[in-house]
Amino acid sequence: MALERLGKALNSALKKLARSGTLDEALIKEVVRDIQRALLQSDVNVRLVLQLTKKIQERALNEKPPSGVTAKEHVVRIVYEELTNFLGREAVPLEIKERPTILLTVGIQGSGKTTTIAKLARHLTKRGYKVGLVCTDTWRPGAYFQLKQLVEPIGVEVFGDPNEKDAVKLAKDGVDYFKGKGVDVIIVDTAGRHKDETGLIEEMKQISAVVNPHEVILVIDGTIGQQAYHQAQAFKEATPIGSIIVTKLDGSAKGGGALSAVAATGAPIKFIGVGERIDDLEPFDPKRFVSRLLGLGDIEGLLEKFEELSQETELKEEDVEKFLRGKFNLKDMYAQLEAMQKMGPLQKVLQMIPGLGYSLPDDAVKVGEEKLRRFRVIMDSMTEEELENPDVINYSRIKRIARGSGTSAREVRELLTQYNQMRKMFKNLDKRKLAKMAKKFGGFGGLGI
Ligand SMILES: Nc1nc2c(ncn2[C@@H]2O[C@H](COP(=O)(O)OP(=O)(O)OP(=O)(O)O)[C@@H](O)[C@H]2O)c(=O)[nH]1
Ligand SMILES: [Mg+2]
């Protein structure tokens, strides 16, 4: 989860609103102060924080809620809207219009370029594009092999030559090579020998001149916080075809500062990096991001993920429906757990469901891969009847299943508890209703208002 700490702080500010009896000026001011503190702790620029919170306070005190919306809901909505505007308002997706579309990535040393390129390749191949990667990093000896190793499992080809010393020549040869191969997208990785933006922009210009990119992507390390402003600003001034990816937003205390600083330059943030794995890249959509950050749930993100998954594993629409509605037996859970492992950690998936957010007890969502494997072993020792209708599993059956699977009665009961918890959690979710609600408000489930 990106900006987890900031999200928790903002969520608890809004929860204060939900818990208190009447909404008055003092309460609004207190909530605004909490929001201020949360943003400052995430290294958001002081001036930007003051501007933002002043606007929130003014609107919350002066605007009348439209009919059908409570005053509290209205304040939540204002916070949601203003934070969304703060981060750029609209999503600017990466577009692949021409074949091949050439993308050039730049960024200072260690910002996450090479990892991000592998993630981008994954993102694009999942959507049916054929991708070729060009390594022009002549600086670090291992660079070519690093990229190759990252994308080997997803079957993406890397052009490079660890013995060649001329980065510009490599860029040109690589692009020509993939043009000949008829790929849809060519992504060029560059060396990260720069520590500041001056050298970086110089190199970008040199390589741009030979590869003629459709888009230059600046990769910024999110852990540098509001300092990201200078990089983004210099980059924006240097190229009209630039977009930005902010990485390492998982676990960084300063991520909010980096994101807001980049947004303040007006340069479009297209993706964010939220982990080291190849799937840890998310298209950046301010609306969706803020609703998830506030713990309001992200039903659209979840549905999109299901959609992606169903393309990959041919998961049927009715399975997804069944899963969301909680009408599933142990056999379904078995299939869904497998599917969820492919989607990424369960925690991430569950956080996108409105109504769960942070309010869920940790141990209900933290199902490690190890545990999932054990669950499967246990299920293999169950009869068809037990898998179809887990309610028949009584004490003596538990003992038999534990014996058969080489586990303990406690572990079998743990599986059943997990099953019952999941069934209960998903039972109340009505896909259509939630999608409608999410559209209207960004989903208020997590707050209980
Ligand atoms: N936690 C986390 N780590 C990341 C993320 N993106 C990249 N990293 C890590 O950051 C480190 C540097 O990543 P690279 O992709 O090698 O960075 P680079 O910009 O290509 O580095 P140079 O080519 O040496 O300039 C690696 O350890 C990555 O695993 C992210 O989104 N989250
Ligand atoms: Mg690199």
Side-chain angles (χ1 to χ4, degrees):
M1 172 76 188
L3 315 189
E4 190 155 356
R5 214 188 301 170
L6 175 62
K8 274 190 178 154
L10 291 172
N11 186 255
S12 69
L14 293 183
K15 276 210 171 113
K16 200 181 258 182
L17 197 68
R19 269 198 309 268
S20 62
T22 46
L23 181 73
D24 55 16
E25 190 171 331
L27 178 62
I28 288 176
K29 285 188 170 160
E30 191 181 330
V31 170
V32 166
R33 256 196 315 275
D34 285 352
I35 295 173
Q36 248 168 22
R37 199 172 310 125
L39 292 169
L40 289 172
Q41 272 168 3
S42 188
D43 197 42
V44 179
N45 178 278
V46 180
R47 194 173 44 82
L48 292 178
V49 171
L50 291 179
Q51 266 172 15
L52 172 74
T53 48
K54 193 169 155 223
K55 191 132 184 226
I56 292 175
Q57 182 161 320
E58 264 171 26
R59 286 189 61 191
L61 290 174
N62 299 324
E63 274 181 27
K64 283 216 165 3
S67 65
V69 176
T70 69
K72 285 182 186 179
E73 278 174 347
H74 188 54
V75 174
V76 174
R77 191 179 186 167
I78 289 170
V79 172
Y80 162 75
E81 281 177 3
E82 291 303 330
L83 277 172
T84 305
N85 289 344
F86 189 58
L87 290 182
R89 199 186 307 246
E90 294 298 332
V92 189
L94 177 70
E95 286 186 357
I96 308 298
K97 280 196 205 137
E98 276 175 62
R99 311 267 145 129
T101 289
I102 300 170
L103 307 174
L104 173 65
T105 42
V106 297
I108 63 170
Q109 199 167 52
S111 54
K113 293 176 294 296
T114 305
T115 314
T116 301
I117 284 166
K119 292 175 182 175
L120 257 184
R122 165 81 164 157
H123 174 87
L124 290 165
T125 49
K126 257 192 192 166
R127 282 156 185 78
Y129 295 107
K130 191 160 187 271
V131 181
L133 305 179
V134 181
C135 171
T136 71
D137 186 346
T138 52
W139 197 253
R140 220 155 37 80
Y144 169 70
F145 298 104
Q146 180 195 5
L147 188 56
K148 219 167 139 64
Q149 196 177 21
L150 284 168
V151 295
E152 204 133 64
I154 58 168
V156 168
E157 192 181 354
V158 182
F159 178 95
D161 176 358
N163 298 318
E164 174 60 61
K165 288 286 161 248
D166 183 348
V168 174
K169 178 175 185 306
L170 273 174
K172 187 173 176 333
D173 290 353
V175 168
D176 287 346
Y177 173 78
F178 284 119
K179 273 185 178 162
K181 287 210 126 188
V183 301
D184 303 308
V185 188
I186 301 171
I187 313 177
V188 181
D189 188 11
T190 55
R193 64 172 179 273
H194 313 288
K195 294 210 161 45
D196 59 38
E197 53 266 16
T198 328
L200 176 77
I201 283 169
E202 196 39 53
E203 175 172 284
M204 173 185 91
K205 286 184 174 157
Q206 266 184 24
I207 297 187
S208 286
V210 292
V211 306
N212 251 326
H214 294 85
E215 185 165 330
V216 186
I217 301 173
L218 172 65
V219 176
I220 294 187
D221 182 336
T223 61
I224 66 171
Q226 58 175 301
Q227 280 179 42
Y229 183 83
H230 303 290
Q231 269 183 51
Q233 184 63 25
F235 176 70
K236 186 168 181 265
E237 280 165 12
T239 176
I241 50 163
S243 63
I244 291 179
I245 297 181
V246 184
T247 62
K248 307 183 197 178
L249 288 181
D250 51 309
S252 162
K254 293 182 167 185
L259 264 188
S260 55
V262 173
T265 67
I269 302 171
K270 293 208 171 163
F271 292 91
I272 53 174
V274 292
E276 291 185 273
R277 296 175 331 142
I278 199 155
D279 281 308
D280 294 333
L281 183 77
E282 295 177 4
F284 184 65
D285 176 347
K287 285 190 183 126
R288 197 198 285 169
F289 183 79
V290 170
S291 72
R292 198 154 19 126
L293 186 67
L294 295 178
L296 303 176
D298 177 11
I299 190 69
E300 285 179 27
L302 182 73
L303 294 179
E304 198 176 272
K305 222 158 195 189
F306 271 114
E307 212 169 90
E308 227 171 57
L309 184 79
S310 64
Q311 275 171 8
E312 240 175 56
T313 60
E314 292 186 3
L315 198 74
K316 288 190 255 26
E317 175 77 12
E318 66 225 51
D319 287 341
V320 174
E321 184 91 358
K322 213 184 205 176
F323 176 61
L324 275 174
R325 284 168 176 274
K327 275 188 195 154
F328 59 97
N329 55 31
L330 270 176
K331 246 175 156 178
D332 297 317
M333 174 159 118
Y334 190 105
Q336 301 309 342
L337 287 179
E338 268 190 332
M340 289 216 275
Q341 265 188 308
K342 290 204 184 103
M343 277 198 286
L346 191 55
Q347 173 108 13
K348 281 196 185 169
V349 175
L350 293 185
Q351 268 170 351
M352 289 196 272
I353 300 175
L356 299 184
Y358 297 112
S359 49
L360 211 75
D362 263 5
D363 50 346
V365 283
K366 274 196 187 136
V367 182
E369 302 209 344
E370 192 44 49
K371 203 189 237 179
L372 291 187
R373 254 194 301 280
R374 220 168 42 236
F375 282 178
R376 286 197 200 136
V377 173
I378 295 172
M379 286 194 226
D380 282 339
S381 283
M382 291 183 182
T383 62
E384 275 297 298
E385 185 201 6
E386 287 160 351
L387 289 170
E388 299 255 356
N389 182 16
D391 292 338
V392 303
I393 304 176
N394 56 18
Y395 181 63
S396 74
R397 286 185 190 234
I398 288 178
K399 276 204 303 200
R400 192 212 74 236
I401 295 164
R403 227 178 9 253
S405 56
T407 58
S408 65
R410 190 183 52 78
E411 283 170 301
V412 178
R413 272 198 298 272
E414 194 183 2
L415 164 69
L416 294 173
T417 309
Q418 182 74 35
Y419 164 71
N420 282 321
Q421 256 178 7
M422 280 178 74
R423 180 165 63 173
K424 212 159 74 196
M425 263 170 6
F426 293 122
K427 201 159 73 188
N428 301 324
L429 294 177
D430 180 320
K431 202 169 105 179
R432 262 167 307 244
K433 209 168 99 195
L434 287 170
K436 225 166 90 190
M437 189 172 122
K439 240 193 205 120
K440 204 165 159 202
F441 297 120
F444 287 164
L447 294 165
I449 340 181

